[in-house]
Structure formats: structure tokens, C-alpha cells
Amino acid sequence: EKSTRSCSALEMKSHVLQDKAQQQIRAWQEFRQKECWLNLLQERVAECIQTESLGRSALRAETCRLMEELKRFDQQLAVEPLAGIVESPPEALHEEGLQEAPEGEGVAE
């Protein structure tokens, strides 16, 4: 009878230990799943950052290209209207800038 009780007590302890071991295994599996999920999310975030970086670089290059195009247009606009205008006579210019021309001489407007 004593050995039966000892055997029963050992079986109970064995079941308790098995339950704890199974709980630990389940907890470890959940941890590994969460770790894998986080690794996947981290990879996706890294991909999104890389895509964003490439997009910004392309946008920066396009902005520079458009700025150069606008500069060319500004240069064209600055040159074209002056082509039909008669320049002021050199006598009307002064080192500090324009001065009034002597009476009788007109400055083209």
C-alpha cells in the first residue's frame, strides 16, 4: 500500500511536471511565432524605407531637372524681349547707374 501511494504521488508529480513542460513549450512556440512575425515586419519596414529613399531621390532629380528647365525658360524670356528694343546710348550711362541724358537727347523707353 505504501508503494502504491508512492507510485501515485510520483505519477501526480510527473503529470504536474509534464503540464509545466507543455506550458513552457507552448510559451516558447508563441515567442518564436512573435519573433518571426516581428522579423517579417522589420523586413517590410526596411523595404518601405528603401522604397521611400529611392522615391525621394527620383523626386529630387526630377526637381533639379525642372529647375534647370525653368532657368532656361527664364533666360529665353530675358533675351527675347530685349532683341527688339534699342539700347540706350552709351553717353546716357554713368558708373553709378543711369543718369539723365543731356537735354535734346532722348533715351529709348
Side-chain angles (χ1 to χ4, degrees), residues 52-67:
E52 179 73 16
S53 176
L54 292 174
R56 286 179 181 226
S57 293
L59 185 59
R60 209 171 6 262
E62 180 67 7
T63 301
C64 288
R65 186 190 69 75
L66 290 172
M67 287 175 62

Side-chain angles (χ1 to χ4, degrees), residues 7-73:
C7 188
S8 292
L10 284 175
E11 282 181 17
M12 286 294 281
K13 287 181 182 181
S14 173
H15 285 294
V16 168
L17 286 174
Q18 282 179 338
D19 288 343
K20 286 183 180 182
Q22 287 175 355
Q23 288 174 356
Q24 292 292 324
I25 290 171
R26 281 192 296 271
W28 178 252
Q29 289 171 337
E30 288 176 17
F31 171 79
R32 291 293 295 166
Q33 285 177 341
K34 288 178 182 179
E35 183 181 40
C36 287
W37 177 250
L38 287 174
N39 286 336
L40 288 173
L41 286 176
Q42 191 174 19
E43 287 175 14
R44 291 197 62 203
V45 166
E47 289 171 5
C48 289
I49 290 172
Q50 180 67 25
T51 300
E52 179 73 16
S53 176
L54 292 174
R56 286 179 181 226
S57 293
L59 185 59
R60 209 171 6 262
E62 180 67 7
T63 301
C64 288
R65 186 190 69 75
L66 290 172
M67 287 175 62
E68 289 300 319
E69 191 172 336
L70 284 173
K71 284 179 187 176
R72 283 194 311 275
F73 290 151

